[in-house]
Amino acid sequence: RTSRAWGRPFLPSQRLKGSLRTLGKAKNGVFFSPMLFQIDHFGFAEDRTFKQRYLIADQHWKKDTGSILFYTGNEGDIAWFANNTGFMWNVAEEFDAILVFAEHRYYGDSLPFGNKSYTDAKHLNYLSSQQALADFAVLIQHLKNTIPGTENTPVIAIGGSYGGMLAAWFRMKYPHIVIGALAASAPIWQFDSLVPCGSFYKIVTEDFKKSGAGCSETIQNSWAKGLQWLSHTFRLCSPLKTKTDVINFREWLRGTWIYVAMVDYPYEAAFLQPLPAWPVKVTKSKVTGIRALSSLVSHATHDLIKLSAPVSFIFSKACTEMVMPMCSDGINDMFEPQKWDFHAYSEECFKAWGVRPRPSWIPTFYGGKNISAHSNIIFSNGGLDPWSGGGVTKNITDTLVAIMIPEGAHHLDLRSNSPFDPTSVLQARLLEVHYMKLWLQKHERVKTCPK
Amino acid sequence: RTSRAWGRPFLPSQRLKGSLRTLGKAKNGVFFSPMLFQIDHFGFAEDRTFKQRYLIADQHWKKDTGSILFYTGNEGDIAWFANNTGFMWNVAEEFDAILVFAEHRYYGDSLPFGNKSYTDAKHLNYLSSQQALADFAVLIQHLKNTIPGTENTPVIAIGGSYGGMLAAWFRMKYPHIVIGALAASAPIWQFDSLVPCGSFYKIVTEDFKKSGAGCSETIQNSWAKGLQWLSHTFRLCSPLKTKTDVINFREWLRGTWIYVAMVDYPYEAAFLQPLPAWPVKVTKSKVTGIRALSSLVSHATHDLIKLSAPVSFIFSKACTEMVMPMCSDGINDMFEPQKWDFHAYSEECFKAWGVRPRPSWIPTFYGGKNISAHSNIIFSNGGLDPWSGGGVTKNITDTLVAIMIPEGAHHLDLRSNSPFDPTSVLQARLLEVHYMKLWLQKHERVKTCPK
């Protein structure tokens, strides 16, 4: 097949050849939709459009038996997610699948207003999960209309973290477009008061506790230390000078512990930053229990936190719909006590962006804990992942199932197979494939045996 | 119970006592929500709110066994719909129900921008089915939070015509909020190319054919007549003078035939205009077959068409999401041949409102014909109703059921019981109650026997 077989003429260079290797050079493999997307799906006064990027790989596609595995992109460059979602590449042949990775609006190259997209609340107005899901729906319909033989091809949504929420919500809101969803490490209940606000930090603490005696205590004790101790212990190039420096540094530390717990993978990984295998244990193995950080995390800047998955939302989306209450008490966790203060949170958002967050909108729109009317969603969770506290960890119905991976960090199951993988994640992946095949079989039955 | 029992102090006069009689004076019984609604649920730059009106009647409410019957308001004053939805009042006691009638934004007194709401596309931007459904969701959550004892009360959505579409879509998109929906005469498939564009006029024609020999032919022949004949036949006070007069008059005629077919009820009714029983037959019984109109329709103005149910959308919502393709060929129907010309339609919208309609958005968002993943929706259709052509007239699954009422016009089943009702509508109402009770029983079972 040449690219002309897609019904529209594309330059070959615009199309990914579809291997992990070529994806490594995704910048060359950018595949722009010839169709433009509405900036606003829900209003008609704003009629402008933008280009949404997506990546596509079809070398395993078989028309009669195939499926489309559709990655619901989250906050970041889609090529990066494609490279960190080896699971899809690993199962592509088994599913005779076309892989599609859709970039989330406002990230990567999919900027509705170019470099003005983030300038103010007016330009940011169309950054929402609802708009993103509508993009995905329109994209899939476009693909089905333009790729010959895919009209009736079943689509499965796959995503991790915020992208996992999107995958689950996509199935809930657009069951006519995706027959099921794999939602990996998706904290769809980390909203309002659906789960205790302390669960997140509690799990981070447990991770460090598990790594050996004294580890969480060392961290806990560090919060009371002054600027001299901190500057010395962390061998900072420019020592902390003011109270604000100390506060900022502590905040950075907190973010780093969270991050290390989130990406506590069994092998070296450069998920967001290069890290050794089992970074929580490595942290513990160092003398102070925290000094190790300076070598662990190569670019020790506050930006790290900005980068790390859903935490990034604090800076834009978290001030609108993504309000995820968090708190620590210093008793059940190793962090400084910090109450959940929505009022202060809202004030900060208003100062920064001129908008007020709406904490109950997500549960109102997506159903909160009352989602049993839906079907065909796998919620997978890593036992080490602090986000599992807001995840669905127990089966809701026969078709809304939970998979726990006790030795798994943040959506480890979506990563490529590795000889270092713990058995639990291998089992999880097998189960995920099993359920996805069940959906496809059921879909096939309904298709061939209409009522 | 006094109004204070609702958790917030309301003036008694603000609250409906809940009988059809008092509802007749609905202007006094207006019940404003103390909570304000977001003008934009899907964006955060527009943070203003507006007051949405709803009516409430609770004299049959029983806490332990009760339910909430929620009318999803359509295009018009909600008191008017409450007075024309006798079905809900008739079954309220049987369901121990609170009745709620929610006004649709941009109609009645629920104007987001007051008397500026309709001035331009910018102010009309938040008039959409998605925003309306979000209003309903937020309203129900508000009621459950403020009316003691309703936290776990199951809610059933009920609506007719465009309101019936909203009821069905509400269940599809918010199954966590309503356990089921009765969608009466809801043409959810009158979009894109889901049904032939000619079905609507064909059914109007059949109605007139059924009323006796020669009727549809007389109408068909009238299109070729000139201004003199028309002026004489209809005894017009000011005779038609120009070609444009004739075109406008013909358009008015077309709208009137549609309207008479839509409201072909078995008894005198003042649905939109005062009409005798079985108005199609009455029309036929007059000598010319059409002269009768001048007595049939008291205010023979073009406004009549503007008033009649979904047709009203042509003037605002139809230029955004509510694109309902219609055509006539003069062979299978009694109308002048008129092709469906989306391009011209779009141009007209752009001229009038500065917006372009998006004809495939409704099917993309709500699923088109592929809705079998949903459950608990009754689609009822009148055999005489031209909108039945775009309705769901066959069962889709065991819980997505269709009810046909051969002798029924536009959502006759939602009207009050009458001695003139044909058997088919009585049976339909019984079936509707039967299904609604099944949903409630199933809901009760799930509630008392958790997994």
Side-chain angles (χ1 to χ4, degrees), chain A residues 38 40-47 121 125 128 130 134 137 141 173-177 320-321 355-356 358 361 363-367 370 373-374 396-398 451, chain B residues 38 40-47 121 125 128 130 134 137 141 173-177 320-321 355-356 358 361 363-367 370 373-374 396-398 451:
Chain A
Q38 295 291 153
D40 188 5
H41 291 285
F42 300 101
F44 292 74
E46 173 59 86
D47 202 37
N125 192 41
S128 75
Q130 291 87 15
Q141 295 216 316
K173 295 295 185 184
Y174 296 83
H176 52 290
I177 290 182
T320 54
E321 53 175 6
V355 297
R356 297 271 178 204
R358 301 177 192 163
W361 173 235
T364 296
F365 191 70
Y366 295 113
N370 187 1
H374 303 288
I396 294 173
T397 65
D398 291 347
K451 225 184 167 181
Chain B
Q38 293 293 151
D40 189 6
H41 291 285
F42 301 101
F44 292 74
E46 173 58 85
D47 203 35
N125 192 41
S128 74
Q130 292 88 15
Q141 295 216 318
K173 295 296 184 182
Y174 297 83
H176 51 290
I177 290 181
T320 55
E321 53 174 6
V355 297
R356 296 273 179 201
R358 300 177 192 164
W361 172 235
T364 296
F365 191 70
Y366 295 113
N370 186 1
H374 303 289
I396 294 173
T397 66
D398 291 347
K451 227 189 165 175

Side-chain angles (χ1 to χ4, degrees), chain A residues 332-363:
Chain A
N332 295 299
D333 55 62
M334 64 187 190
F335 294 91
E336 293 178 285
Q338 200 162 29
K339 286 207 170 131
W340 169 244
D341 182 348
F342 176 71
H343 181 74
Y345 183 95
S346 177
E347 283 304 312
E348 248 181 81
C349 286
F350 192 72
K351 253 190 262 169
W353 298 99
V355 297
R356 297 271 178 204
R358 301 177 192 163
S360 60
W361 173 235
I362 290 276

